Amino acid sequence: MHEPAAPAPVPVPAPGPVRTRGTARALAALAVPAVPLFVLVLPTVLGGAGEHATAESQLLEWTRTRAPYELALLQAVGFACLVPACLGVLAVARERARGTALAAVTAVLGCLTAFAMLLVMGAELAQLFFTVTLDPPRAGVDAALLLNDAPGFVVTLLTGLSTTVLTLPLLGTALRRSRVLSTAGLLSFLVPLVVSFLPLPPAGAELAPGLGLLVPCCWIAVRVAATRPAGTVVVPAGDRPARRVRV
């Protein structure tokens, strides 16, 4: 009599981690470095390192030259990238089943920050519009200054800037708790602080913090892109070689 054949291997779901589609990781890997790139680096490179004593002097200069609409739009794109960055990191944390709570809090903070800063950028675009379209030019400057000094604009601006500063390091901390980012990667968020104190010429001093912030953000992008689902188990199949099953 022939012995019964060994049963075929049966996939066994791994407990805990939730599988994340590669799209979420790709979005996070692209969006995290896009925030400092579009908010800080590109506007500085394209707009130059100008010095203005007051907002009024800056607005008056725009009446004589041209309003930098494209720079405001670049910054708006950068702040909007906070949303896919935070949601992508949250997806990675859920996949790893570590740091999920911190990633969720950071995602909420990042989405609120993006909303607040998009409101600010809309107000700044309105200031540019008033400056270059109203006649005489002084009337446009006065209208822009009225909007610039509005309490709602000031509060939203200060809140959005402070939460922007918090969001990116919190993303790094969530990834560190998820064991995606190393301690060295998290400590690289000190780079923009260090370069801010370097004796640089005015153009370099304005550009250095943005480039410094790109260092940890690119580090996060590389680590997130290299992360794979933590749900691989080995199921014996009789006398045959073990079979790897990804869930």
Side-chain angles (χ1 to χ4, degrees):
M1 295 181 63
H2 297 286
E3 294 184 0
V10 179
V12 179
V18 180
R19 185 175 181 178
T20 300
R21 295 183 181 274
T23 303
R25 293 194 300 273
L27 281 176
L30 292 173
V32 171
V35 176
L37 179 64
F38 284 96
V39 173
L40 298 174
V41 177
L42 288 180
T44 303
V45 172
L46 298 177
E51 291 290 336
H52 299 90
T54 63
E56 182 178 5
S57 64
Q58 185 178 56
L59 292 170
L60 287 171
E61 179 182 336
W62 289 341
T63 62
R64 295 188 294 269
T65 56
R66 61 180 297 272
Y69 289 106
E70 65 280 0
L71 303 184
L73 290 174
L74 280 175
Q75 290 183 315
V77 170
F79 287 118
C81 286
L82 281 171
V83 176
C86 292
L87 295 182
V89 169
L90 174 59
V92 172
R94 290 184 61 205
E95 173 188 85
R96 308 288 292 183
R98 293 175 179 273
T100 306
L102 179 58
V105 172
T106 306
V108 173
L109 180 65
C111 291
L112 291 176
T113 299
F115 177 73
M117 292 310 297
L118 287 175
L119 289 178
V120 169
M121 299 315 301
E124 290 195 357
L125 285 171
Q127 292 182 45
L128 295 177
F129 178 78
F130 293 153
T131 301
V132 300
T133 57
L134 294 184
D135 191 32
R138 184 69 219 185
V141 171
D142 291 340
L145 289 174
L146 185 64
L147 178 59
N148 186 74
D149 296 334
F153 175 80
V154 175
V155 171
T156 305
L157 174 63
L158 294 179
T159 302
L161 290 177
S162 60
T163 51
T164 300
V165 172
L166 288 174
T167 299
L168 292 175
L170 284 177
L171 287 179
T173 304
L175 290 173
R176 176 67 186 91
R177 292 176 64 87
S178 302
R179 298 184 180 178
V180 173
L181 189 67
S182 64
T183 302
L186 182 59
L187 291 177
S188 65
F189 276 101
L190 295 176
V191 172
L193 182 63
V194 172
V195 299
S196 298
F197 292 97
L198 296 178
L200 299 172
E206 188 170 355
L207 184 60
L211 292 176
L213 190 56
L214 267 178
V215 173
C217 290
C218 289
W219 198 323
I220 287 176
V222 171
R223 293 302 305 148
V224 168
T227 301
R228 292 294 177 264
T232 300
V233 297
V234 177
V235 180
D239 294 333
R240 291 183 294 178
R243 179 181 176 186
R244 292 169 63 84
V245 179
R246 177 164 289 174
V247 296

